[in-house]
C-alpha cells in the first residue's frame, strides 16, 4: 500500500526557515517524481513545486510565489522528499501536502499524504 | 502561467440530481486535465485524469469531458457522499495550476 507521511510542520516566525519531510512507502520511491501542494486555511489548492526522478535528471520546478525561497530535494536511499522553506511569510501559512503522480513525472496526483500544517506568525 | 477558472463557485443540489461543473483554461491544454474531490479536513482525491479517464475505484456516476480550453465534470446522480468541494487542475505545463474550487452543497 502506498503511503506518504509528511512531518516537520509547526509554528514559525516570519523570516525564519522550516524543513518539511515526506516519507514514502509501498512503492519504489526513486522511480517517481514527487510534488508539494498547499492549502491556506479556508482556501483552495495551490501547487508549490515538483522534483523529477533521477531518471529525468532530478530537476525541480516551482510556483512563482515560492521560487527562490523554497527548495525541494530528495533522498532516494531513505525514500524521503524534502521541502526546505526559507524567508517564510505569513501568506505561506497552509497545510502542505506531499503527492505522487499516476506515473513518473505525471501531473495527475493519485496519492496524497495527510498534510502538515505550517503556521507563520509572530 | 495557465489560469484555471471554475464555475459555479458553489451549487446547491439534492440527492439524485445531475450536477455539472465547468472549468476553463486560459490557453489550450489539450486533454491535460484532472478533477479532484476534497472533503473537509481530508486530502484531495483524484477522480478523473486526462480529461475523461476515470481513476480506478471511482464510481461511474462521475464523468469528465472536454479538450482544449473547456472542460466539464458531471455527477449523473448525486449521492450523499458526493457533497464536497471539487477542483480542476491542468497538467499541461509548469507551474501546475488549480481552479478555485466548486462546493457542492445539500439543497
Amino acid at each position: 500500500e502506498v503511503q506518504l507521511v509528511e512531518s516537520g510542520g509547526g509554528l514559525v516566525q516570519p523570516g525564519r526557515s522550516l524543513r518539511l519531510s515526506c516519507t514514502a512507502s509501498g512503492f519504489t520511491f526513486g522511480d517517481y517524481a514527487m510534488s508539494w501542494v498547499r492549502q491556506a486555511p479556508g482556501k483552495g489548492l495551490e501547487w508549490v513545486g515538483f522534483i523529477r526522478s533521477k531518471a529525468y535528471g532530478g530537476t525541480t520546478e516551482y510556483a512563482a510565489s515560492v521560487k527562490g525561497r523554497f527548495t525541494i530535494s530528495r533522498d532516494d536511499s531513505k525514500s524521503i522528499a524534502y521541502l526546505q522553506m526559507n524567508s517564510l511569510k505569513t501568506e505561506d501559512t497552509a497545510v502542505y501536502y506531499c503527492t505522487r503522480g499516476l506515473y513518473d513525472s505525471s501531473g495527475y496526483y493519485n496519492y496524497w499524504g495527510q498534510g502538515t500544517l505550517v503556521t507563520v506568525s509572530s | 502561467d495557465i489560469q484555471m477558472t471554475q464555475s459555479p463557485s458553489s451549487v446547491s443540489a439534492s440527492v439524485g440530481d445531475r450536477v455539472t461543473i465547468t472549468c476553463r483554461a486560459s490557453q489550450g491544454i489539450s486533454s491535460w486535465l484532472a478533477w479532484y474531490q476534497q472533503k473537509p479536513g481530508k486530502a484531495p482525491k483524484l477522480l478523473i485524469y486526462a480529461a475523461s479517464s476515470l481513476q480506478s475505484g471511482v464510481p461511474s456516476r462521475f464523468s469528465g469531458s472536454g479538450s482544449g480550453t473547456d472542460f466539464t465534470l458531471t455527477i449523473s446522480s448525486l449521492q450523499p457522499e458526493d457533497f464536497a468541494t471539487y477542483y480542476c487542475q491542468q497538467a499541461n505545463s509548469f507551474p501546475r495550476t488549480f481552479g478555485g474550487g466548486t462546493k457542492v452543497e445539500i439543497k
Side-chain angles (χ1 to χ4, degrees):
Chain A
E1 178 193 6
V2 171
Q3 284 197 316
L4 301 172
V5 179
E6 300 95 339
S7 59
L11 175 63
V12 61
Q13 293 179 327
R16 304 297 290 264
S17 299
L18 201 63
R19 188 179 79 162
L20 305 183
S21 299
C22 169
T23 302
S25 60
F27 65 102
T28 304
F29 181 78
D31 288 350
Y32 289 84
M34 299 298 294
S35 300
W36 291 87
V37 175
R38 68 183 180 182
Q39 186 168 37
K43 303 296 184 183
L45 300 170
E46 180 185 15
W47 183 85
V48 173
F50 163 90
I51 184 166
R52 294 177 176 83
S53 66
K54 291 292 193 293
Y56 287 89
T59 52
T60 52
E61 306 283 349
Y62 298 97
S65 58
V66 307
K67 196 169 187 176
R69 299 189 299 123
F70 289 13
T71 301
I72 298 173
S73 60
R74 62 189 300 152
D75 185 337
D76 290 352
S77 68
K78 296 181 179 179
S79 297
I80 300 177
Y82 299 100
L83 178 63
Q84 177 67 44
M85 303 184 292
N86 299 332
S87 303
L88 281 161
K89 306 176 181 179
T90 55
E91 53 263 42
D92 294 320
T93 294
V95 173
Y96 284 74
Y97 294 102
C98 168
T99 73
R100 197 210 85 176
L102 274 174
Y103 48 84
D104 191 15
S105 289
S106 166
Y108 305 125
Y109 306 125
N110 64 321
Y111 291 107
W112 296 67
Q114 84 287 355
T116 188
L117 176 62
V118 173
T119 303
V120 184
S121 174
S122 54
Chain B
D1 297 3
I2 298 175
Q3 309 302 318
M4 306 301 292
T5 304
Q6 281 182 242
S7 60
S9 57
S10 66
V11 57
S12 293
S14 301
V15 172
D17 284 354
R18 182 182 184 89
V19 173
T20 299
I21 299 168
T22 64
C23 179
R24 175 163 290 176
S26 61
Q27 59 188 267
I29 58 169
S30 186
S31 296
W32 293 100
L33 185 100
W35 290 97
Y36 299 87
Q37 175 194 68
Q38 188 180 32
K39 296 182 179 180
K42 300 293 187 182
K45 174 186 175 182
L46 178 65
L47 300 176
I48 302 284
Y49 63 95
S52 61
S53 295
L54 193 68
Q55 170 63 1
S56 176
V58 174
S60 59
R61 63 181 179 272
F62 291 93
S63 63
S65 64
S67 67
T69 60
D70 294 313
F71 301 87
T72 299
L73 173 70
T74 300
I75 309 171
S76 60
S77 178
L78 199 65
Q79 297 302 300
E81 60 269 30
D82 301 336
F83 291 97
T85 300
Y86 294 83
Y87 295 92
C88 63
Q89 175 233 322
Q90 63 84 13
N92 178 78
S93 62
F94 292 105
R96 310 299 196 202
T97 43
F98 289 88
T102 296
K103 188 173 184 179
V104 177
E105 300 175 298
I106 302 172
K107 193 171 190 178

